[in-house]
Structure formats: C-alpha cells, structure tokens
Amino acid sequence: MGKMHYKRKLVIVFIIIGTALGLYVYSAFSQKLTKSTDLSDESIGGFKVFDNISSPEFIREYGEPIDQDNNNAYDYYYWKGGLKTASINTDEDKGEIMRLIISSRDDDQFENSLQTSKGIKLGSKKADVLSKYGDHYYKSYEQGADIIGYIDHKRNITLEFWCVPGGRVAEIRLDDADVI
C-alpha cells in the first residue's frame, strides 16, 4: 500500500512538472509563432522604444525622474504622470529607451492619463484592445494577469496589455522584444 501511494505521488509530481515546463516552452515560443503587427507608430505618452530619455523633447515633457531603480542591464526610471522607463546604462547607448510602462497601483486603480497611440489606457476593456489592435496576438499569464501581446517582427517590438480579473487593462508595456 505504501509503495502504491509513493508511485501515485511521483506521477502527480511529474504531471505538475511537465505541465509547468510545457507552459513555459509555449509562452517562450508563442511570440515567435504570432503573426506580426505593425507597431511602427506605437508610443506611450508620445514616446517610442529607442527614443532617448536625454533628448530635449523627453526632458521638456517629463523633466527629472522621480525615482530610479538600477540593475545590470538597464536603469529603470519613474517619471511624472505615471510613466516608467527602462533605458540602457552603457556609454554609447546610454538613455536609449528599451521599455515604456504604465501601470496602476492599488491606491490609484486605473488613474493615469497616459495611453497608447490607439487610445488604450489603464482601465480600458480587453475587448477594446482586441478591437483596436486585432486578433494577431499571443497570450500569456503572469503575476495574476491575463496578458495579451502583439509583436512587430520587423522592428522587434512588443506591446503587452496586462489585464486583471474582470477584463480591465492594469498595465501596458511597450518593449524591445529582447528585454527580459
């Protein structure tokens, strides 16, 4: 009886590991399998991936950062109006934006005026995202969010909408597709 119970537990563990591994592999390749969406005009708060936070236009719009987090690859800056950027921190490309993020916090649920070039903002309905950006998207699930993502294979840019239960957009990310 004890041996049979052990085998049953072992089978359950392998099923769980296999399922987790399968979901990881699927999400890793789902971007590559998704048809391309033209994101050449896409911006958040009027700025695009590969713009620079040191440009006169960016400084005029956002001023000095409110806060900063650094890691080995990127400097993350928090700007007025709820914008967050990740930019390159090496000499030759220093300040080049690799990720633009707008997200809600618990204390300001969906309070942010920033939006995508097609008018999607925090609190928009998932159905609005699909109607404006189309049906060539990948899906993912992370940190309790249902993620709808679009990829521009030619420009290597992704646009992700992180939706909370209830189908509302709680975070938007415009990224260089290689950002991790």
Side-chain angles (χ1 to χ4, degrees), residues 157-173:
I157 294 173
T158 60
L159 177 63
E160 292 186 339
F161 300 93
W162 293 47
C163 301
V164 293
R168 297 277 182 177
V169 175
E171 182 167 307
I172 302 170
R173 292 183 180 189

Side-chain angles (χ1 to χ4, degrees), residues 113-130:
S113 62
L114 296 172
Q115 59 187 18
T116 67
S117 63
K118 293 187 178 182
I120 300 296
K121 57 186 177 181
L122 299 183
S124 292
K125 295 177 187 170
K126 184 176 174 179
D128 294 336
V129 171
L130 298 175

Side-chain angles (χ1 to χ4, degrees), residues 52-63:
N52 198 299
I53 62 171
S54 300
S55 72
E57 298 82 13
F58 193 90
I59 292 169
R60 188 171 32 258
E61 182 69 28
Y62 292 100

Side-chain angles (χ1 to χ4, degrees), residues 18-38:
T19 302
L21 186 60
L23 288 172
Y24 174 76
V25 168
Y26 171 77
S27 66
F29 290 102
S30 64
Q31 281 187 2
K32 301 216 182 310
L33 300 174
T34 302
K35 288 185 180 180
S36 191
T37 299
D38 182 359

